[in-house]
Amino acid sequence: MGPGSRRDTLDDHFGDYNWRKVIGLGIGILFAYQLLHLPTATGPAMLRKVKEAGAERSELVSDFLELSASISKEYPEQVVKWTADIQAWEQDRTKPNPFTSPVDKVSENAVRLELAREEEHALALGQLTFFHDEISPSMLITQGIEIEDQQRNLKEAVKGLGNHPTDLQQAKIQESRNRLRRRIDAWREIQQLYLPGVINLRAQSNSQATSNKPPEAWDLFLPSEILDDIPLEPCFLDFEWRLRQAQAFVALDSLRRHLTVRSQMFNSKFRHVRGQKSLTRSQKLIERIQARVTHDAKKYREVHAKLGRLATPLKKQGWTKELQILAEGDVRGLNAGDEGTTEGRRTVSWIWKAPTGQNSGTTGGEEVVEALRIEWLKARARAHRWQEECLLLTEEMRRALAFFRSEIDSWTQIGHRLTPTDSNEGLRAYAFRQANSRDGLLTRCKKTWSDCAQYLELGEGAPTEGMIKVEYYPDSCMRGVDS
């Protein structure tokens, strides 16, 4: 195939894809309820986005308002200050980022930066060899740990589907599996360059499998999993050790933060919440926070087990003083004791005594407020993100209608510019036919998208006159205006 033929072929493919996308806008929406199982149609994709955005906006805005009301009862001045700080940062990004903690904590990104600098130094001295142009040994382990996190999250998402998942839920899970499968396949190709011994291990694992496993159940064969099966360079074990250690500290910090928020929600519920509606909403929010606590505890235990496997060949000692085994009784709030223990015999769980970082200089009360602040900012960002998504979908539908009108005018003008002669008869017919097809798509979209607009105007957080993004001001107990 020559260069010209190649360009023509690519243009044909691009044109066909764009045309099917345009057709899907009109036809797919008209028969959206019948075509929800067709992932290639843009119409069902648009309707799926609208349904998801409306539901998520209502749920997350309610969560944000519920959390704000709970915190404001205990720390009313803090909510006002946090709102002013985040609004100031959104206007001027040169100001300190309120999402970051002032405490200098151990982080995975800091370890990644340190490893990258060490590799640069070793590469300059000729002490390290790269078998891939873009992926270094430390990057290989880093990406493997990231994929492991994706697998863990996808397993929890599948577990939360229930016995009767909807088509939308199944579609989202399948899309996540497809993305994860592609990423694992690409990562495995690079892994074989640095760790060729995993080829035999993978072949044995595939031969022993009795059924096709989903990608979230695939074995990654990271160094901590195969150190007893194949010889490994010490650098790979050291890379994973340092990244796992930072991962454990991050998981522990996230666990403490979510436990703090859970304790705050429990206290607010018992002291201030009355009525069936308020109790139900508060309980749902507590259940979601509890799910995060369970996720953090499970992640820490898995990372701790891998650290235990790496500690022996690396001859690491004393690390369990800071990163202890996490028992079920250790997962409790700062002011909570063991079950059945009286106040006079109550002890603080070791997770609150473990180091959180370097030179923190914070007291217990400051740590509580800091944890609430970060969680409140994240809840606010999630609520605003889905409010913006609803606005963008509304604008996307408006622009689609404007596109069809423009296409109708363009093809109609082409048809009228051609003189009605025998030689132009076919061209005029083609132009008017194209204009008529766009007019049909426009009519169908206008008829069906009106329901989507009404749907996006329902629920908590829907835009009203003068309000686009929701805010919470405890003094007036009103939702703020951000237009």
Side-chain angles (χ1 to χ4, degrees), residues 348-361:
V348 178
S349 174
W350 70 265
I351 65 176
W352 300 98
K353 304 173 185 177
T356 58
Q358 304 169 357
N359 303 323
S360 61

Side-chain angles (χ1 to χ4, degrees), residues 9 13 22 26 30 97 105 161 176 180 230 291 304 326 399 427 445:
T9 302
H13 282 291
V22 170
L30 177 63
N97 186 352
K105 300 177 180 178
L161 284 179
S176 299
L180 181 59
I230 62 174
H304 188 275
L326 184 64
R399 294 192 179 193
L427 297 176
C445 288

